[in-house]
Amino acid sequence: MKKTFYVVLLFLAALNLRPIITSVASMMGAIQSELGISALTASLLTTLPVLCMGLFAPAATTLSRRLGLERTLFLSLLLITLATALRGIDGSNITLLLVTAFAGGIGISIAGPLLSGFIKKYFPTSPGIVSIYSVSMTIGAALASGLTIPIYTQSHDNLSFALFSWAILGVVALIFWMATVRKKQPVAGKTERPRLPLGNKKAIQFTLFFGFMASMFYSLTAWISPIALRMGYSSQNAAMLLTLFTLIQVPVALLVPSFVNRTGKLNLWLVMFSVFELIGVGLLLLPVPMLPAVLFLGVGAGALFPLALMLPIVETHTAEEAGAWSAMSQMGGYIMGALGPLFLGWTFDLSGHLIAPVMTMLVIVLLMIGLQLSMAAGKKAKIATFANSPRLTKSGE
């Protein structure tokens, strides 16, 4: 029963890590029009939280050490919920939107790495629980990207209400997580503070991979709808393509960690799903419907994200170490990821054509594939369990 409750806690926490970003992404056209801002400024609404997720990730281990893992996660969820709720004051105020994007990003930066530690602590022999983490984030992203425009329309074009409404997910999560705050946590003994593995070659490779993966994910999240609009799709169809991009990731993120564990050929799967993204970006350059491109991109993104989450977890031995490795990969990775939509917005403003941001994404995918091939050439990657057993157990899938 306890395990089930912890799965629910993990699911609800992860569910809140993306709506503050994807709700804005789906409304990018309306926000630009209503606020009269450039594509570069609009891109900041998705870039700021991602940048914060990188800059403030190292603080997660420090806060967890001082306050406890569960209390720190509760406070991070509280910050995300408050930031989302504040958008109800005035969604047409660009300063308020940017401030809440910044605050929400800080909350996500703390929760992200610590959820890896949470998995390590409560599911030491079940690495497959990473799937719950990634799938829940994907569901949250899909809900926000797919329903924000209908909410906006039904509320008579009330931008504040459409963006504020996603705070309800945070309120539900906080109610459940309250039980962990009330529960007295054991006081940790004097242990060496986990340090970021800055000099570890494998950790650096994980960080670069996370960066390329995040750059693609957030660039696609921010730009699928604008690209569709430029190609002549209606705003509702453009939003549906973004929703499809996120929804297709759910079954992929759920199944891929299991497949990787059974085959053990991690690098092969990494390259294969990166090639899926390469095909998807290539299709955006051709005069064909966007649907096939979105499907390829969604499958690629849906597979690469849980693998990026899994790498630091399976490489470490304790919850603290897992948090430190995850903090490093997310620190560098999200900073790189933040540059993706920002640079795409800049190239589009500069050129006025879609080919510039699409070519930028093509370069990012090629760099990611090059890194994966380098990782494969250096040392064959293998999947290990948290408990160092030779194989993931079926119960952990």
Side-chain angles (χ1 to χ4, degrees):
M1 194 67 181
K2 273 188 176 181
K3 292 291 185 184
T4 302
F5 180 66
Y6 291 138
V7 169
V8 172
L9 291 180
L10 176 64
F11 180 85
L12 290 175
L15 195 66
N16 282 274
L17 300 188
R18 292 298 176 265
I20 198 169
I21 300 173
T22 56
S23 60
V24 167
S26 65
M27 295 289 296
M28 197 69 80
I31 290 173
Q32 276 188 258
S33 175
E34 190 168 321
L35 276 62
I37 56 178
S38 68
L40 179 59
T41 302
S43 293
L44 284 174
L45 294 173
T46 53
T47 299
L48 262 183
V50 180
L51 187 60
C52 290
M53 286 153 62
L55 292 175
F56 295 97
T61 53
T62 302
L63 290 172
S64 177
R65 183 178 171 82
R66 292 182 180 178
L67 304 176
L69 176 65
E70 294 79 7
R71 287 190 181 91
T72 308
L73 279 167
F74 176 84
L75 291 174
S76 66
L77 289 172
L78 179 61
L79 181 57
I80 295 168
T81 304
L82 289 174
T84 308
L86 283 173
R87 290 182 167 178
I89 297 175
D90 185 6
S92 60
N93 185 323
I94 185 61
T95 302
L96 179 64
L97 290 178
L98 290 172
V99 168
T100 53
F102 181 79
I106 293 176
I108 298 169
S109 74
I110 296 168
L114 294 187
L115 284 178
S116 295
F118 183 84
I119 294 171
K120 190 79 166 180
K121 180 176 180 178
Y122 291 105
F123 305 95
T125 59
S126 302
I129 294 297
V130 171
S131 295
I132 301 297
Y133 180 1
S134 59
V135 165
S136 180
M137 277 200 294
T138 303
I139 291 174
L143 288 173
S145 64
L147 298 179
T148 302
I149 285 183
I151 292 172
Y152 173 72
T153 304
Q154 290 298 317
S155 61
H156 305 290
D157 296 349
N158 189 327
L159 185 59
S160 298
F161 181 79
L163 299 179
F164 152 83
S165 60
W166 297 104
I168 189 64
L169 295 180
V171 173
V172 174
L174 290 171
I175 292 171
F176 279 82
W177 274 85
M178 187 72 73
T180 67
V181 176
R182 290 177 179 175
K183 182 181 176 183
K184 189 175 180 180
Q185 301 297 327
V187 179
K190 290 185 178 180
T191 57
E192 184 180 352
R193 178 180 174 182
R195 297 179 179 179
L196 299 181
L198 298 173
N200 188 296
K201 181 180 177 181
K202 189 173 290 186
I204 293 171
Q205 289 178 325
F206 291 173
T207 300
L208 290 173
F209 165 56
F210 200 105
F212 290 133
M213 179 276 303
S215 292
M216 277 301 298
F217 178 82
Y218 289 107
S219 294
L220 290 167
T221 299
W223 278 89
I224 280 180
S225 288
I227 288 174
L229 289 171
R230 286 277 174 169
M231 292 178 67
Y233 289 85
S234 68
S235 59
Q236 290 231 330
N237 285 336
M240 284 302 297
L241 286 170
L242 179 59
T243 303
L244 179 62
F245 167 71
T246 49
L247 280 178
I248 194 67
Q249 295 175 45
V250 175
V252 175
L254 188 62
L255 296 173
V256 164
S258 247
F259 291 155
V260 171
N261 173 57
R262 284 175 183 147
T263 63
K265 299 177 180 179
L266 177 58
N267 286 312
L268 175 64
W269 288 94
L270 287 172
V271 173
M272 184 181 76
F273 286 113
S274 295
V275 170
F276 267 66
E277 287 198 339
L278 187 65
I279 294 171
V281 175
L283 288 173
L284 291 178
L285 294 170
L286 302 176
V288 295
M290 274 189 69
L291 181 59
V294 169
L295 290 175
F296 273 104
L297 292 169
V299 170
L304 292 174
F305 186 72
L307 295 182
L309 290 176
M310 183 182 286
L311 286 172
I313 298 175
V314 299
E315 191 65 32
T316 56
H317 303 284
T318 66
E320 294 76 18
E321 193 182 3
W325 276 60
S326 295
M328 175 172 162
S329 66
Q330 294 186 29
M331 175 186 68
Y334 280 129
I335 290 174
M336 289 175 62
L339 298 177
L342 187 64
F343 189 67
L344 263 63
W346 177 74
T347 57
F348 179 74
D349 284 340
L350 197 64
S351 67
H353 297 288
L354 288 175
I355 191 167
V358 174
M359 288 300 296
T360 301
M361 287 191 283
L362 193 68
V363 171
I364 292 171
V365 178
L366 289 172
L367 289 173
M368 181 165 61
I369 293 174
L371 173 65
Q372 291 163 350
L373 293 174
S374 174
M375 290 167 62
K379 183 179 179 181
K380 187 177 180 181
K382 59 182 180 179
I383 297 294
T385 65
F386 297 108
N388 294 324
S389 55
R391 198 90 168 145
L392 303 187
T393 61
K394 202 159 189 174
S395 62
E397 293 176 1

